[in-house]
Amino acid sequence: MASAKFAYMSTTLLSARSVRFAWPGAAPLALPDLTVHPGERWLLEGPSGAGKSTLLQLLSGVLLADAGEVALLGRPWREFGGAARDARRADHIGLVFQMFNLVPYLSALANVLLPCRFSARRRARALQRGATLDAEAQRLLAALGLDDVRLVGRAADRLSVGQQQRVAAARALIGAPELILADEPTSALDEDNRRAFLDLLFAEAQAAGAAVVVVSHDAALRPWFERRLRLGEAGSGGHAGTSVHEPRPHPRPPPRAGEGENPLPCEAGEGRGGGGAPQGTDAARRAA
């Protein structure tokens, strides 16, 4: 049993090597090499324009690199067509997009359940944790302070920004994916809700043996992560970034800081077409 556990923990879950990417009309980004193993917690930091959100989209297969290779569970994303990438992402990755990407006309509960609709694997895992899919989704929402039945049944576009962000977090966690990728997941949360989200994130990840990769400019998140990668300054001519490894007990909550609510993110959302809520089944599958 011990040898099996060691073999699992030594498996490379996600890797990025010599990745280059350029948005139309923009200077190319040289992004840092990265290797993520099960159970690891990574914080990706950097100034606006350094490529944080772009890197997360490349890691998740939403974007394909112009050069280099990004691989999930040993298989490069470019081996798969668009529909196959969507299915693989739904099976193995929980995503929190910077612009949340909730389906606006679906309820909070229905948005959380989307991964179980598109992934039999996530559906089966969710049912191992809850008596029903609804019960598991409600458990995650309640842990994030959304236990009011009126809120759970409310359409996403009628929720506050902070409530939408928590719904997006619950959606990423349902069904115990092996990898959680989150883009500024605490940007719209006050200190108490930020702490509740991080408590739940790492508890769920630890229970599933999942890895967590978070993109953020919020230095208050550093004490939660034992591995950090700082991306180079914007326009730095290909400087990829530097990595910091700080072993610490797991989990270790940060000291409370009286910062109040963080400002809303202002960078572009996912995909080459920008952010906004997904429309239709294909967009919902990518968001899930």
Side-chain angles (χ1 to χ4, degrees):
M1 182 67 69
S3 60
K5 180 178 180 181
F6 177 81
Y8 171 73
M9 292 303 291
S10 64
T11 299
T12 297
L13 180 59
L14 180 71
S15 64
R17 295 287 180 271
S18 304
V19 172
R20 302 291 184 272
F21 181 84
W23 294 98
L29 291 168
L31 297 167
D33 288 357
L34 180 67
T35 302
V36 179
H37 298 100
E40 290 184 343
R41 297 179 294 163
W42 282 87
L43 179 63
L44 309 185
E45 303 175 288
S48 296
K52 301 188 302 298
S53 295
T54 299
L55 176 57
L56 208 68
Q57 292 175 58
L58 290 163
L59 294 178
S60 64
V62 172
L63 297 175
L64 293 179
D66 296 330
E69 180 178 280
V70 179
L72 176 71
L73 294 170
R75 300 283 301 278
W77 281 115
R78 66 177 64 257
E79 287 186 3
F80 302 91
R85 288 200 307 274
D86 289 346
R88 189 165 172 80
R89 186 184 310 112
D91 277 346
H92 301 291
I93 299 178
L95 270 170
V96 183
F97 289 104
Q98 190 177 39
M99 304 303 289
F100 316 148
N101 285 31
L102 301 179
V103 180
Y105 52 83
L106 293 182
S107 69
L109 182 65
N111 268 285
V112 174
L113 289 171
L114 278 174
C116 300
R117 175 180 173 184
F118 296 121
S119 170
R121 182 187 183 97
R122 297 273 290 275
R123 180 186 179 91
R125 287 183 172 184
L127 286 172
Q128 290 175 354
R129 294 179 166 227
T132 65
L133 292 177
D134 282 6
E136 175 62 4
Q138 288 166 351
R139 178 185 72 84
L140 294 168
L141 287 168
L144 294 170
L146 297 177
D147 52 358
D148 187 326
V149 66
R150 294 170 297 180
L151 288 177
V152 170
R154 187 173 296 172
D157 61 0
R158 295 181 57 216
L159 299 173
S160 72
V161 172
Q163 290 165 348
Q164 289 180 32
Q165 191 161 46
R166 284 177 277 167
V167 171
R171 182 182 62 188
L173 293 171
I174 197 166
E178 294 100 316
L179 176 64
I180 306 295
L181 298 176
D183 193 349
E184 300 285 4
T186 61
S187 61
L189 304 182
D190 59 27
E191 184 183 349
D192 288 340
N193 282 318
R194 176 174 58 186
R195 182 175 291 267
F197 163 71
L198 292 168
D199 283 342
L200 180 66
L201 171 65
F202 291 120
E204 293 294 311
Q206 187 171 23
V212 176
V213 179
V214 169
V215 160
S216 182
H217 65 273
D218 186 358
L221 297 183
R222 288 178 180 176
W224 293 84
F225 294 85
E226 74 272 11
R227 296 180 183 273
R228 303 201 310 272
L229 185 66
R230 182 165 182 82
L231 276 64
E233 299 290 336
S236 58
H239 176 64
T242 55
S243 179
V244 176
H245 180 205
E246 295 183 351
R248 55 171 50 95
H250 178 75
R252 174 188 170 189
R256 290 187 177 272
E259 296 174 348
E261 294 197 359
N262 293 326
L264 294 178
C266 58
E267 297 176 5
E270 63 96 16
R272 291 182 185 268
Q279 302 290 335
T281 302
D282 290 342
R285 184 181 290 109
R286 286 193 295 273

